[in-house]
Amino acid sequence: MSSLPTSTPAAQGVDAVGIQAFLDALEAEPDLEPHSVMLLRHGQVVASGWWAPYAPDRPQLLYSLSKSFTSTAAGFAVAEGLIRLDDPVISYFPEFEADITDPRSRAMLVRHVASMASGHAEETFDRARAEDRDELVRGFLLIPPDRDPGTVFAYNQPATYTLAAIVQRVTGQKLTEYLRPRLFDPLGIGEAAWIADRKGRELGFSGLHATTDAIARLGLLYLRGGVWEGERLLPESWVAEATRAQITQEAPPVAGWSDWQQGYGFQFWMARHGYRGDGAYGQFCVVLPEQDAVLAITSETVDMQRVLDLAWEHLLPAFADGPLPGREAADAALADRLARLALPPGDGKHAPAERAEEWNAAAFTPEGGLCADQPTLTEIEVDPGGRLTVVDDGDRLELGFGTGEGGWTVADEPLPVAVSGGWTDAETLVVDLAFLETPHHLLVTCSLQDRTFTARWRTQPLHAGPLRRVRAPRSV
């Protein structure tokens, strides 16, 4: 995989002081944990950094930013004549023809599911799954739209799932297989993996794991109108349609969430500045045509609007019309900081010597008999020398952690996880487990007094299951 071209901020007309202010602001937010950032201007990477223990080569769960990759797959299929935007959705699923009788469902077009304009007034995922747990497309089409398709916006996971299912049906390939020669390889995107459902169909609406670099490359392809290194990959017409408002929200603006009230394209959000793909807990691909820039971010936060607010506040004023001479010191200071980014590890001390024998191989069960946040987690064993054994869904996951020396202990197996923490007192062990291919942390507290533990997700994973799945899918 070739690296993207790099430059100094000043050479591309970006004030490094503004980038530093953006980093300061991200790190100062109490409910925001940044994991990575890449900023491109004029096709050059002017700033990139990963907060250790996160790293450049690790794929990240993109959540709904996956939708923009699904849109791109649909764009290729349209260009190849495999899909027509004005075809009825039901025409791609003739086996459901007799079941789908509602006229609005039958009138739903491909462009409607591509733009979250199916006619439903709200999210339908739970209802669709209740209608048909094994075939979400059928379950979705069985729910009569509230309005005529194309007249109302509702952010709706089964709409994107249906678009992805159409692509996979007409191509005979999974999304990752179809995108590999058309998008991933031409753009130099390496490892990418997508969560699939029980039918083996990749979800489309979520579940893609890819690197921050892959996010930046997708944004650059759209910024360049579908052209990569002089070769047209996507039709210019698809890029233009995908990144303009196909449908607008009727509801009054939600206080504090103005960037979600600007309209929706083909699996891209319009924004106060440019447009973007985004995913739960702070995964962003922000494209700024006016500034000729792309911003890629991975993070953990429930306040995604705050991330964009900080970008508008600090980065937009940093863009100049031309190179900025005499900024060598500021550029060097930024580069030094980006190379040293790190998340603070959990607090904790060495195992208390006077209680070491009690802690040695001590076993802990869930407080109250069930771990509410992670019901598959049934037991934890502790080795005061710095090892935690987590029993989850029958798996014994042995994890090392620092013993009061600070820092993160990083492992790829049995899971890509970084562990930090230690003893807060003689009776209590507190450990932070950062699942490195996702935004999520699991905070574990073991109490020696009653031999119980609590485990709490800082942000709840949206794809439920045992801990072995809190990672990118692996080929079997």
Side-chain angles (χ1 to χ4, degrees):
M1 182 182 75
S2 61
S3 298
L4 288 168
T6 61
S7 180
T8 62
Q12 303 305 321
V14 186
D15 186 352
V17 173
I19 302 175
Q20 289 264 32
F22 179 57
L23 298 179
D24 288 341
L26 290 177
E27 292 182 339
E29 286 292 320
D31 297 321
L32 196 170
E33 180 181 272
H35 295 164
S36 70
V37 63
M38 290 184 69
L39 179 63
L40 282 63
R41 182 98 194 275
H42 305 323
Q44 308 276 317
V45 179
V46 298
S48 62
W50 285 257
W51 279 261
Y54 295 86
D57 58 348
R58 286 197 183 275
Q60 298 293 304
L61 173 56
L62 304 186
Y63 279 120
S64 283
L65 179 49
S66 308
K67 291 179 170 72
S68 299
F69 287 84
T70 298
S71 170
T72 305
F76 286 121
V78 168
E80 293 168 11
L82 301 174
I83 295 176
R84 291 186 296 272
L85 287 173
D86 291 317
D87 281 347
V89 169
I90 190 62
S91 68
Y92 292 91
F93 303 96
E95 68 272 30
F96 306 146
E97 181 78 26
D99 299 335
I100 310 306
T101 58
D102 182 83
R104 285 174 171 164
S105 291
R106 296 183 67 85
M108 192 188 305
L109 306 179
V110 175
R111 68 168 59 252
H112 296 145
V113 293
S115 58
M116 299 292 188
S118 64
H120 297 95
E122 60 186 7
E123 171 69 60
T124 65
F125 183 81
D126 289 340
R127 293 165 63 196
R129 191 165 58 173
E131 289 280 356
D132 193 329
R133 188 169 183 84
D134 293 322
E135 178 47 88
L136 193 64
V137 172
R138 180 176 176 274
F140 172 56
L141 293 175
L142 283 171
I143 302 171
D146 306 283
R147 301 261 293 275
D148 289 340
T151 64
V152 62
F153 169 84
Y155 196 66
N156 195 357
Q157 311 308 322
T160 313
Y161 180 90
T162 299
L163 179 65
I166 292 172
V167 173
Q168 290 172 91
R169 172 159 288 199
V170 301
T171 64
Q173 295 179 291
K174 295 180 179 180
L175 294 172
T176 46
E177 294 170 342
Y178 183 62
L179 287 173
R180 176 53 61 190
R182 293 165 177 81
L183 180 74
F184 296 153
D185 286 345
L187 266 60
I189 293 173
E191 181 181 358
W194 218 312
I195 295 173
D197 63 12
R198 63 180 67 190
K199 294 175 67 71
R201 184 185 287 158
E202 291 176 341
L203 298 181
F205 63 86
S206 184
L208 178 61
H209 293 69
T211 61
T212 313
D213 178 85
I215 301 171
R217 289 170 190 257
L218 181 75
L220 187 57
L221 174 67
Y222 275 83
L223 180 65
R224 293 290 180 256
V227 173
W228 188 265
E229 295 182 345
E231 178 184 355
R232 175 158 297 285
L233 301 182
L234 272 175
E236 187 175 13
S237 59
W238 177 265
V239 173
E241 290 297 295
T243 61
R244 74 171 180 86
Q246 297 285 334
I247 189 79
T248 56
Q249 294 89 333
E250 290 184 344
V254 178
W257 286 82
S258 55
D259 279 296
W260 275 262
Q261 303 294 323
Q262 308 298 320
Y264 198 78
F266 290 153
Q267 308 296 301
F268 283 90
W269 290 94
M270 305 304 103
R272 287 179 290 165
H273 305 279
Y275 56 88
R276 71 189 189 282
D278 64 40
Y281 302 124
Q283 326 317 311
F284 288 99
C285 177
V286 181
V287 182
L288 300 169
E290 185 176 337
Q291 290 78 20
D292 194 27
V294 174
L295 175 64
I297 293 175
T298 63
S299 61
E300 183 193 34
T301 183
V302 295
D303 190 355
M304 293 172 61
Q305 180 63 65
R306 186 59 179 156
V307 180
L308 295 175
D309 289 344
L310 295 176
W312 308 151
E313 180 181 352
H314 299 290
L315 291 183
L316 287 183
F319 294 117
D321 293 333
L324 300 172
R327 304 295 180 91
E328 291 82 5
D331 287 349
L334 174 62
D336 179 66
R337 177 176 183 175
L338 289 167
R340 295 184 293 104
L341 294 174
L343 299 179
D347 293 330
K349 302 176 182 179
H350 290 283
E354 70 277 11
R355 308 293 294 277
E357 189 170 323
E358 293 177 75
W359 278 101
N360 188 38
F364 300 82
T365 56
E367 185 179 80
L370 179 70
C371 182
D373 269 21
Q374 186 65 29
T376 55
L377 183 55
T378 56
E379 188 178 17
I380 291 176
E381 298 174 6
V382 175
D383 174 355
R387 184 162 297 276
L388 201 71
T389 300
V390 175
V391 182
D392 182 85
D393 196 40
D395 294 328
R396 292 180 60 84
L397 309 174
E398 295 189 0
L399 309 172
F401 65 96
T403 53
E405 299 170 359
W408 295 88
T409 301
V410 177
D412 289 313
E413 298 297 341
L415 283 170
V417 64
V419 187
S420 71
W423 280 262
T424 57
D425 57 49
E427 296 279 346
T428 310
L429 172 67
V430 179
V431 179
D432 182 349
L433 279 63
F435 291 84
L436 296 174
E437 294 179 350
T438 80
H440 303 296
H441 289 249
L442 185 66
L443 307 177
V444 176
T445 301
C446 296
S447 171
L448 186 62
Q449 183 175 6
D450 53 14
R451 295 295 202 276
T452 62
F453 74 85
T454 60
R456 177 179 61 85
W457 289 106
R458 200 163 68 184
T459 51
Q460 187 72 41
L462 302 183
H463 300 287
L467 293 177
R468 61 177 175 270
R469 296 183 192 167
V470 190
R471 65 182 302 173
R474 298 306 197 258
S475 300
V476 179

